[in-house]
């Protein structure tokens, strides 16, 4: 084991890399980590040290007094000390400054293309159609665009505080890759404070995979599927909870709408609202293990398209074109519920709309029907608590 190297994946899992390996794939999140040779690193360090020594030697030479240059033997009055004008001397910085200049600049904390993260209302909207793939979807990018219009026109979100990640974006940093989605989620909650209203929307594929840390009752982690998941892996619920949920401070609120399969507890929130068809409900605690899944005092709420073991879908019944059933029913419920609706009212309206749409589809299979699910960081009275973005 002494010849093996211990490597830590971006998801936090430690792995043993065999000697001579150029890359290793994480068994948890499937991220591929490139390994750099120790010999290459030592050679690079040697080159840097040699360069610093050369610069230091030049600097010391410049600090020595210039030699007096005299003309050929001449009368004393013709002898002139030749000295370079002070303004012509090349001044080199001290060695510590030269080292700082040679050091690479620190990486940017956020995507350069992102707007300022400081605002009372901001949102991240992800729509992934997986164009050109055998598992491509229809309508996910349209879902993200519809959600942006809704937030701007009806909920008062500034358009410059909404970050869109879709395959239609011209900026490479706004393509819904795993790296970009992670950074966008961090941007959303950075510096959050009391009375901030944060919103996260995802329309695309969802999935499940084996739980390796023992915090899932069903033994399965839920995950979002970025565009480059085949090489970079999924974004599992443990990481989503760590990025989006746990940093929320007292008074800040996060609402998420997840239009994907297997999305019930994809934010890993500890409480699930189990609602019956007659409107009665009960809170089910999802906590398992010693890892805290709540916030830092704030509130987190998630409307998901279906339970963890169910499939969601899109339907042309609502708009005449392919649209995510969850996205459309959420927007329509908030618009039609009247002023200051409760969470219970919205949930009932969404369930009714989706059940009605499913009944109108000729290919509807009752065994495959799914209903929206509400999860939360805390238990609360869904018929007394007002919904507000």
């Amino acid at each position: 084991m002494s010849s093996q190297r211990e490597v830590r994946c971006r998801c936090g899992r430690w792995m043993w890399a065999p000697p001579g390996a150029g890359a290793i794939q994480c068994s948890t999140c499937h991220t591929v980590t490139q390994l750099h040779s120790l010999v290459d690193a030592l050679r690079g360090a040697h080159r840097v040290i040699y360069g610093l020594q050369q610069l230091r030697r030049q600097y010391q030479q410049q600090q020595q007094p210039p030699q007096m240059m005299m003309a050929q033997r001449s009368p004393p009055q013709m002898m002139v000390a030749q000295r370079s004008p002070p303004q012509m001397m090349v001044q080199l910085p001290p060695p510590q400054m030269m080292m700082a200049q040679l050091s690479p600049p620190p990486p940017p904390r956020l995507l350069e293309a992102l707007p300022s993260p400081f605002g009372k209302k901001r949102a991240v909207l992800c729509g992934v159609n997986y164009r050109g793939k055998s598992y491509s979807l229809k309508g996910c990018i349209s879902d993200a665009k519809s959600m942006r219009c809704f937030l701007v026109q009806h909920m008062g979100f500034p358009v410059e505080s909404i970050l869109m990640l879709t395959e239609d974006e011209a900026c490479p940093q706004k393509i819904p890759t795993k790296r970009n989605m992670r950074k966008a989620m961090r941007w959303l909650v950075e510096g959050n404070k009391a009375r901030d209203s944060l919103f996260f929307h995802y329309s695309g594929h969802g999935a499940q995979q084996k739980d390796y840390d023992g915090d899932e009752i069903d033994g399965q982690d839920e995950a979002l599927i970025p565009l480059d998941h085949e090489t970079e892996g999924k974004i599992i619920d443990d990481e989503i909870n760590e990025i989006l949920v746990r940093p929320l401070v007292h008074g800040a609120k996060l609402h998420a709408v997840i239009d994907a399969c297997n999305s019930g507890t994809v934010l890993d929130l500890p409480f699930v609202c189990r609602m019956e068809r007659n409107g009665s409900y009960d809170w089910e605690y999802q906590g398992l293990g010693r890892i805290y899944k709540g916030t830092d005092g704030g509130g987190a709420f998630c409307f998901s398209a279906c339970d963890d073991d169910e499939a969601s879908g899109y339907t042309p019944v609502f708009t005449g074109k392919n649209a995510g059933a969850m996205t459309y029913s959420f927007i329509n419920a908030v618009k039609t519920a009247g002023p200051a609706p409760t969470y219970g009212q919205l949930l009932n309206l969404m369930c009714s709309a989706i059940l009605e749409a499913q009944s109108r589809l000729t290919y509807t299979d009752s065994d495959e029907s799914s209903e929206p699910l509400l999860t939360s960081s805390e238990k609360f009275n869904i018929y007394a608590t007002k919904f507000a973005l």
Side-chain angles (χ1 to χ4, degrees):
M1 189 66 71
S2 59
S3 61
Q4 293 184 334
R5 294 174 55 190
E6 193 173 16
V7 181
R8 187 174 185 178
C9 180
R10 285 179 290 183
C11 70
R13 182 179 179 86
W14 287 97
M15 305 171 288
W16 287 103
I24 185 171
Q25 185 173 24
C26 178
S27 61
T28 300
C29 66
H30 305 291
T31 297
V32 177
T33 302
Q34 299 294 330
L35 305 177
H36 299 284
S37 171
L38 179 59
V39 175
D40 293 339
L42 291 176
R43 288 175 177 169
H46 177 74
R47 287 193 294 268
V48 172
I49 294 173
Y50 178 77
L52 289 174
Q53 290 174 344
Q54 294 295 321
L55 289 174
R56 183 182 182 89
R57 188 176 298 111
Q58 294 176 12
Y59 171 73
Q60 291 173 345
Q61 292 173 354
Q62 291 293 333
Q63 295 302 309
Q64 295 177 359
Q67 300 296 324
M68 302 294 292
M69 300 187 62
M70 300 179 62
Q72 295 180 352
R73 292 187 179 273
S74 304
Q77 64 271 19
M78 298 299 296
M79 296 172 61
V80 180
Q82 301 295 328
R83 183 188 297 268
S84 299
Q87 63 273 20
M88 297 302 293
M89 295 178 62
V90 178
Q91 299 293 332
L92 292 179
Q96 60 269 25
M97 292 184 63
M98 291 189 288
M99 292 182 66
Q101 292 173 357
L102 289 175
S103 301
R109 292 187 304 128
L110 297 169
L111 289 172
E112 295 177 0
L114 299 189
S116 168
F118 304 106
K120 289 298 180 185
K121 292 188 175 186
R122 53 188 184 268
V124 169
L125 314 178
C126 302
V128 196
N129 278 355
Y130 312 94
R131 289 172 178 157
K133 302 292 185 179
S134 59
Y135 46 83
S136 63
L137 296 174
K138 300 177 181 178
C140 295
I141 296 178
S142 298
D143 288 345
K145 294 178 179 179
S146 297
M147 190 64 75
R148 179 175 58 185
C149 291
F150 165 72
L151 293 176
V152 173
Q153 297 176 7
H154 297 275
M155 294 290 106
F157 278 66
V159 67
E160 63 272 13
S161 295
I162 298 177
L163 177 60
M164 291 275 291
L165 272 68
T166 73
E167 293 143 277
D168 285 348
E169 299 299 318
C171 176
Q173 294 174 319
K174 294 183 179 180
I175 301 299
T177 63
K178 183 175 183 177
R179 177 182 176 87
N180 289 348
M181 288 176 62
R182 280 171 162 174
K183 288 192 173 183
M185 289 189 287
R186 292 190 181 98
W187 168 84
L188 182 62
V189 298
E190 180 179 353
N192 72 92
K193 52 187 179 295
R195 295 187 298 278
D196 279 359
S197 178
L198 314 177
F199 191 85
F200 179 74
H201 172 248
Y202 171 85
S203 180
H205 276 303
Q208 285 186 307
Q209 68 177 42
K210 184 178 179 180
D211 170 38
Y212 291 95
D213 53 13
D215 65 342
E216 297 283 352
I217 293 178
D218 60 358
Q220 297 287 318
D221 278 326
E222 286 66 51
L224 303 181
I225 309 299
L227 187 62
D228 58 349
H229 70 99
E230 293 178 349
T231 57
E232 298 301 318
K234 311 176 185 70
I235 305 178
I236 63 172
D237 51 7
D238 296 330
E239 183 178 8
I240 298 170
N241 181 273
E242 181 180 357
I243 296 175
L244 280 181
V245 176
R246 274 178 264 180
L248 295 172
V249 301
H250 179 74
K253 285 187 178 182
L254 167 74
H255 288 88
V257 174
I258 310 297
D259 203 343
C261 300
N262 311 116
S263 57
T265 61
V266 75
L267 263 64
D268 246 4
L269 295 174
F271 296 98
V272 177
C273 181
R274 299 294 183 184
M275 177 177 284
E276 303 293 336
R277 294 287 177 89
N278 61 7
S280 62
Y281 71 95
D282 192 19
W283 287 103
E284 180 181 284
Y285 181 63
Q286 293 290 304
L288 188 64
R290 295 175 296 177
I291 301 176
Y292 179 66
K293 297 293 185 177
T295 68
D296 192 21
F301 313 88
C302 180
F303 291 99
S304 301
C306 56
D307 211 336
D308 289 340
D309 58 349
E310 294 178 338
S312 65
Y314 47 83
T315 171
V317 169
F318 294 122
T319 61
K321 59 182 180 180
N322 290 311
M326 179 65 204
T327 300
Y328 181 87
S329 63
F330 171 80
I331 293 174
N332 191 62
V334 177
K335 286 181 179 180
T336 60
T342 66
Y343 286 86
Q345 287 177 305
L346 293 182
L347 200 55
N348 279 308
L349 286 172
M350 286 187 283
C351 289
S352 298
I354 290 178
L355 289 174
E356 181 183 357
Q358 290 172 341
S359 67
R360 294 164 58 187
L361 295 174
T362 57
Y363 54 86
T364 296
D365 184 347
S366 59
D367 293 334
E368 296 294 331
S369 63
S370 58
E371 298 180 15
L373 192 69
L374 172 65
T375 58
S376 173
S377 56
E378 299 288 344
K379 294 190 294 184
F380 64 95
N381 186 336
I382 65 173
Y383 291 113
T385 305
K386 303 294 185 180
F387 169 84
L389 290 181

